[in-house]
Amino acid sequence: MSVTISDIEAAAARLAGHAVETPLIESPALNERLGRRVLIKPETLQRVGAFKFRGAYNRLSQLSADERTRGVVAFSSGNHAQGVALAARLLGMPALIVMPSDAPAVKAEATRGYGAEIRFYDRMTESREAIAAGLAAERGAVIVPAFDDPDVIAGQGTAGLELVRQAKARGAELSAVLTPIGGGGLIAGVSTAVKALSPSTQVFGVEPAGYDDTLQSLRAGERIGVKPAFRTLCDALESPAPGVITFPIVQKNVSDIAAVDDAEVAQAVRYAFSVLKLVVEPGGSVGLAALLAGKFASLPEGPVGLVLSGGNVDPDLFAALLRGET
Amino acid sequence: MSVTISDIEAAAARLAGHAVETPLIESPALNERLGRRVLIKPETLQRVGAFKFRGAYNRLSQLSADERTRGVVAFSSGNHAQGVALAARLLGMPALIVMPSDAPAVKAEATRGYGAEIRFYDRMTESREAIAAGLAAERGAVIVPAFDDPDVIAGQGTAGLELVRQAKARGAELSAVLTPIGGGGLIAGVSTAVKALSPSTQVFGVEPAGYDDTLQSLRAGERIGVKPAFRTLCDALESPAPGVITFPIVQKNVSDIAAVDDAEVAQAVRYAFSVLKLVVEPGGSVGLAALLAGKFASLPEGPVGLVLSGGNVDPDLFAALLRGET
């Protein structure tokens, strides 16, 4: 059940003409501040505003004609929901998304805008897995996992494929690549691509403080769950444990993981606004937050690739962050 | 005193390695909404967050050693000030900026951050031209005009050069290019590049309502000044009249000009935030506003190049725009 560079190449072929090949962006001001080149991969500019479209499209485009008719079910607080909803629309199949009732309004609206049906559930009293399983059984629909699926991981990996190739095209040998970690689908895919194309490049992950299940799992040498009593600004990264498929890939490929707190994330969001002129959601900016706060003592010298994974943030929350209200 | 494609090519050579070659961005969601391809040139990602760095660097890099010692003076409410300040710092010369006391705080801070000295003046009672002339005479410094200067225009034209070449590289024959108009430096340079490299491409300009001096001048066949009693959200575009050098270029190259009001601009800023995930200042978004509001009846079919000219907006104003408070 692992994922190879061939799987990622095949995913890239499926995505060609459907996903955006996001550009590589470089900010002289950020380079100067950090004393190194930072090659930014803004997946904020991807369809649905996040890398999640890549994995969803790669998975859905491989369904049989019969499966397409019965459609797909996914559970997600946001970006995966939008990725599945849009991929389903483009491929002409029905999609049902199971979403917590407190999901960011902007993500729920966008998901509905892509034509998906939404079933809200209560985070505290209901199990999204049980609801999704029941609905999928009723309809004979396929459940599309948010991260623990080889095709989803391979799809996310195409961002890493592009990043390494684009960096080489502009003469940069990446010493490291940084990505956010939720369930680990992005870093599993990206690190597989990076290690295949540029074996000496190290891969680092960043989690929100309190939701550092993957860091704790790495240290323990086995999958550890966390259950923090508090929320984080990074709604996209609130996974309670690494995936069964993603974790061994992380163990093999990832050099280190850092955790950033809400204040560091808020500063990164503001920095992206004022200096990079990019709209990045809190969860998408944790890699930038880690760089700005100097979280990685072991980061090698040289150019760094930085994945800004998503930009779907409620306007009111963004305004609050800009005004320092949160 | 005109500007040729050779001047723009020479400017591009001077800017190489100093200015950012901003990428071309395409949003499937925007394409779908407008029923055509829109190739976005985000000068928001340029150094200092606006195209102005191009013209300033092109002008300043041609000063003699003696002139460099005495430095430069500029008057500007913002983006030109930052462009001159950073170009001067990179070239090791002193810069003094004459700036209205009500300029956006973010622009004044950034200008100071680049090491320039600032002299504030009162928009209502003082003449910035007189202040700048006095200070320049005192110091033997060169005054760098914001737009009415062949080297400044040629520098801005490099954005057009890149746009046409990048569009061709991705197989798009541009039917039209849209840029904002303040004093006309950007559209004069960009239209010169566009008409030289792709003669059939039409160029359109957009001004803020009330500050449509270039549109009125085009209609009158001569330079007309405006003096509106109100401000506009587009602080970067509040020029009272087209330039002596820029206007004949606009007359020769520009097919049509539209005006957009504050409500249309605010909507474009919000659209850029929520769909494009780009931070665009009000003045930088007038082209997008015109497209979204369908302002150009004569816009030809086919792919359009859209210059988003700057992203320097006060966080508090941006928050107010997101919350619909302004």
Side-chain angles (χ1 to χ4, degrees):
Chain A
M1 280 284 268
S2 197
V3 177
T4 67
I5 184 67
S6 315
D7 297 327
I8 298 173
E9 297 276 11
R14 280 179 212 110
L15 290 174
H18 301 289
V20 173
E21 182 179 332
T22 53
L24 215 53
I25 290 177
E26 206 168 346
S27 159
L30 178 60
N31 288 354
E32 194 174 311
R33 164 146 178 189
L34 294 177
R36 65 164 84 228
R37 291 181 76 181
V38 181
L39 299 158
I40 299 168
K41 183 71 173 165
E43 283 295 299
T44 53
L45 308 180
Q46 186 51 264
R47 279 187 116 138
V48 313
F51 72 95
K52 290 284 191 180
F53 177 76
R54 297 176 183 266
Y57 193 90
N58 188 47
R59 178 76 177 86
L60 268 57
S61 63
Q62 296 179 70
L63 294 178
S64 68
D66 192 43
E67 287 171 321
R68 288 186 190 206
T69 310
R70 294 194 300 266
V72 291
V73 171
F75 44 88
S76 160
S77 66
N79 287 332
H80 176 59
Q82 291 181 64
V84 169
L86 178 58
R89 197 193 71 184
L90 294 174
L91 292 161
M93 60 181 91
L96 171 68
I97 309 294
V98 179
M99 191 176 268
S101 45
D102 61 353
V106 69
K107 293 184 178 179
E109 279 159 31
T111 302
R112 205 177 276 118
Y114 295 125
E117 192 183 336
I118 299 185
R119 160 72 158 82
F120 287 108
Y121 73 98
D122 183 326
R123 241 183 230 279
M124 297 305 156
T125 61
E126 294 185 279
S127 153
R128 59 184 192 173
E129 288 82 358
I131 295 171
L135 290 164
E138 242 171 56
R139 303 175 178 213
V142 168
I143 292 183
V144 185
F147 52 86
D148 222 15
D149 177 289
D151 292 319
V152 169
I153 295 169
Q156 322 305 28
T158 60
L161 203 69
E162 291 173 14
L163 170 53
V164 174
R165 288 181 179 157
Q166 289 168 319
K168 284 189 178 165
R170 58 171 73 190
E173 285 293 327
L174 295 172
S175 69
V177 167
L178 275 75
T179 89
I181 302 183
L186 177 65
I187 200 164
V190 166
S191 68
T192 299
V194 166
K195 289 297 181 184
L197 300 183
S198 176
S200 67
T201 303
Q202 292 187 50
V203 178
F204 293 83
V206 186
E207 293 180 298
Y211 291 82
D212 57 347
D213 46 283
T214 306
L215 173 56
Q216 292 193 35
S217 300
L218 264 192
R219 285 182 181 152
E222 60 176 342
R223 293 171 59 235
I224 299 266
V226 297
K227 210 173 177 176
F230 55 90
R231 301 291 303 271
T232 152
L233 273 177
C234 306
D235 62 271
L237 305 179
E238 289 181 319
S239 71
V244 173
I245 303 174
T246 57
F247 183 59
I249 304 177
V250 170
Q251 276 186 305
K252 194 175 66 178
N253 293 341
V254 174
S255 294
D256 198 8
I257 294 176
V260 290
D261 65 27
D262 274 2
E264 290 162 337
V265 168
Q267 253 186 313
V269 170
R270 283 191 288 265
Y271 185 89
F273 167 84
S274 63
V275 179
L276 306 181
K277 311 300 179 189
L278 297 175
V279 177
V280 189
E281 65 181 284
S285 74
V286 293
L288 178 61
L291 282 177
L292 292 175
K295 290 283 173 177
F296 288 110
S298 61
L299 198 67
E301 305 250 314
V304 163
L306 172 66
V307 181
L308 300 178
S309 55
N312 293 320
V313 46
D314 258 324
D316 193 61
L317 171 61
F318 199 81
L321 288 167
L322 290 186
R323 286 180 169 163
E325 295 165 0
T326 193
Chain B
M1 281 283 265
S2 197
V3 176
T4 67
I5 184 69
S6 317
D7 298 327
I8 298 173
E9 298 275 12
R14 281 180 211 108
L15 290 174
H18 301 289
V20 173
E21 182 178 332
T22 53
L24 215 52
I25 289 177
E26 205 168 347
S27 158
L30 178 59
N31 288 355
E32 193 174 312
R33 165 146 177 188
L34 294 176
R36 66 164 84 226
R37 291 181 75 179
V38 181
L39 298 157
I40 299 168
K41 184 72 172 163
E43 283 297 298
T44 54
L45 308 180
Q46 186 51 264
R47 279 186 115 137
V48 312
F51 71 95
K52 290 284 190 180
F53 176 76
R54 297 175 183 267
Y57 192 90
N58 187 47
R59 178 76 177 85
L60 267 58
S61 63
Q62 295 179 72
L63 294 178
S64 69
D66 193 44
E67 288 171 321
R68 289 188 190 205
T69 311
R70 294 194 301 267
V72 292
V73 171
F75 43 87
S76 159
S77 64
N79 288 332
H80 176 58
Q82 291 181 62
V84 169
L86 178 59
R89 196 192 73 184
L90 294 175
L91 293 160
M93 61 180 90
L96 171 68
I97 309 294
V98 180
M99 193 177 267
S101 45
D102 61 353
V106 69
K107 293 183 179 179
E109 280 158 32
T111 302
R112 205 177 276 118
Y114 296 125
E117 191 184 335
I118 299 185
R119 161 73 158 80
F120 287 107
Y121 74 96
D122 183 325
R123 239 182 233 277
M124 297 304 158
T125 62
E126 294 185 280
S127 154
R128 60 183 192 174
E129 287 83 357
I131 295 171
L135 291 163
E138 244 171 54
R139 304 175 176 212
V142 168
I143 292 183
V144 185
F147 53 85
D148 223 14
D149 178 289
D151 292 318
V152 170
I153 294 168
Q156 322 304 27
T158 60
L161 204 67
E162 291 173 12
L163 170 54
V164 173
R165 288 182 179 158
Q166 290 167 320
K168 282 187 179 165
R170 59 171 75 189
E173 284 294 326
L174 295 171
S175 67
V177 166
L178 274 77
T179 89
I181 301 183
L186 177 64
I187 201 164
V190 166
S191 68
T192 299
V194 167
K195 289 297 181 184
L197 301 184
S198 177
S200 67
T201 303
Q202 292 188 51
V203 178
F204 293 82
V206 186
E207 294 181 299
Y211 292 81
D212 57 346
D213 47 283
T214 306
L215 173 57
Q216 291 191 36
S217 301
L218 264 193
R219 284 182 181 152
E222 59 176 344
R223 293 171 60 237
I224 299 266
V226 297
K227 209 174 178 176
F230 55 90
R231 301 292 304 273
T232 150
L233 272 178
C234 306
D235 62 274
L237 305 179
E238 289 181 319
S239 72
V244 173
I245 302 173
T246 56
F247 183 58
I249 303 177
V250 170
Q251 277 186 304
K252 194 175 67 178
N253 292 342
V254 173
S255 295
D256 198 6
I257 294 177
V260 289
D261 65 28
D262 274 2
E264 289 161 339
V265 169
Q267 252 186 314
V269 170
R270 283 191 288 265
Y271 185 90
F273 167 83
S274 63
V275 179
L276 305 180
K277 312 299 179 189
L278 297 174
V279 177
V280 189
E281 65 182 283
S285 74
V286 294
L288 178 61
L291 281 178
L292 292 175
K295 289 283 174 178
F296 288 112
S298 61
L299 198 67
E301 306 250 314
V304 164
L306 172 67
V307 181
L308 300 179
S309 55
N312 294 320
V313 48
D314 258 324
D316 193 61
L317 171 60
F318 200 81
L321 288 167
L322 289 187
R323 287 179 169 165
E325 295 165 359
T326 193

